[in-house]
Amino acid sequence: MSKGLFIVFEGVDGAGSSTQAQMLRDYFTHRGQQSIVSPEPSAGPIGKLLRTFLAGKNDFNSQDLYDQQMAYLFAADRHYHLYNNVDGVYSLTKENIHVISTRYYFSSLAYNGKTEKDYDFVSILNQKFPPPDLVIYLDLPVNIALERMCDRPSKEIYETQEKLTKVRERFTEIFANYSHKILKIDARESKKKIHQTIVNDIEKWN
Ligand code: TMP
């Protein structure tokens, strides 16, 4: 029996991952294949806790400790997202359902690895997580990302120019050295063109 694919979208906030993930799910549906969009932070208990922290509600009083504790939580949530036996990535792909995740360990490295020391710490926390079947990196200049996010009703803690500039630099480094399957896309292109690029790539090897 064939196995579902584990496909990950990455990019700075505002790069269009959620829209493209839904378009990809619709594409699989049209082809008669089952798929699910499954974000990180996940819909599980640790993911819910992370969402409240990202909205700015937390009791941490030291920024350094806060960043480390967030990194542990993201990693714990990722473990749940992959391995829980109800709707974990591996349970679903075994049932031949494609899992499309917006964010994975690359986001931990990019967002939570500010200094070299932080980066090493986050790498260790994430070193046992397997690479996905495909990572799609939507690359977007930070000024455009911030313009796109202006219309959002609420802001999350990482959505500042300074933070996202560092995050984008990290993504560039991470993906320049990445040795598994990756598709890098200029996220300034139209939604339709980006979707077509993704579909063309997947049809080549799936
Ligand atoms: P979202 O915008 O895709 O919903 O992600 C929520 C925020 O969480 C986003 O600003 C990126 C951040 N994040 C991390 O800092 N580390 C991680 O490991 C993940 C998955 C997300």
Side-chain angles (χ1 to χ4, degrees):
M1 190 178 138
S2 59
K3 205 173 119 320
L5 298 170
F6 176 30
I7 298 175
V8 167
F9 281 91
E10 287 285 9
V12 295
D13 301 71
S17 301
S18 305
T19 305
Q20 288 300 327
Q22 279 158 22
M23 289 170 86
L24 186 58
R25 186 196 49 203
D26 293 346
Y27 158 82
F28 283 130
T29 305
H30 283 306
R31 293 194 28 164
Q33 298 177 21
Q34 274 188 283
S35 66
I36 184 170
V37 175
S38 184
E40 286 195 13
S42 78
I46 308 165
K48 289 199 181 106
L49 184 66
L50 276 163
R51 295 268 176 209
T52 66
F53 293 160
L54 288 167
K57 300 179 199 82
N58 69 70
D59 295 326
F60 298 98
N61 52 15
S62 147
Q63 188 61 42
D64 285 353
L65 288 181
Y66 174 69
D67 289 342
Q68 286 182 27
Q69 288 157 6
M70 286 294 275
Y72 277 117
L73 286 174
F74 281 118
D77 181 52
R78 183 156 301 126
H79 192 275
Y80 173 91
H81 185 224
L82 285 177
Y83 302 116
N84 89 74
N85 55 20
V86 179
D87 59 359
V89 172
Y90 283 98
S91 295
L92 295 174
T93 53
K94 234 184 351 198
E95 297 299 321
N96 201 15
I97 300 169
H98 304 305
V99 179
I100 306 162
S101 180
T102 46
R103 305 199 181 279
Y104 192 42
Y105 62 76
F106 314 97
S107 276
S108 279
L109 294 167
Y111 280 82
N112 316 123
K114 194 168 58 185
T115 63
E116 292 315 304
K117 199 166 146 236
D118 297 334
Y119 188 87
D120 290 346
F121 167 71
V122 175
S123 302
I124 290 167
L125 287 183
N126 284 277
Q127 67 190 352
K128 294 224 172 104
F129 296 124
D133 295 305
L134 171 67
V135 53
I136 301 165
Y137 174 49
L138 299 178
D139 184 32
L140 189 67
V142 170
N143 59 331
I144 302 179
L146 288 167
E147 269 167 35
R148 286 187 185 177
M149 285 188 293
C150 272
D151 336 322
R152 291 193 184 170
S154 59
K155 262 188 153 332
E156 287 187 336
I157 54 171
Y158 296 140
E159 294 170 355
T160 65
Q161 171 137 29
E162 190 197 354
K163 176 70 185 177
L164 293 185
T165 301
K166 182 72 202 168
V167 169
R168 185 173 183 230
E169 276 168 29
R170 277 287 187 221
F171 272 135
T172 305
E173 281 164 31
I174 294 163
F175 292 129
N177 298 310
Y178 186 65
S179 54
H180 301 277
K181 203 182 271 295
I182 177 162
L183 182 60
K184 294 181 201 173
I185 297 181
D186 183 342
R188 290 172 298 186
E189 298 288 358
S190 71
K191 288 177 194 167
K192 213 167 141 197
K193 189 161 176 212
I194 294 173
H195 175 64
Q196 200 52 52
T197 306
I198 294 169
V199 164
N200 290 348
D201 183 78
I202 292 177
E203 287 181 352
K204 266 195 272 156
W205 52 271
N206 182 35

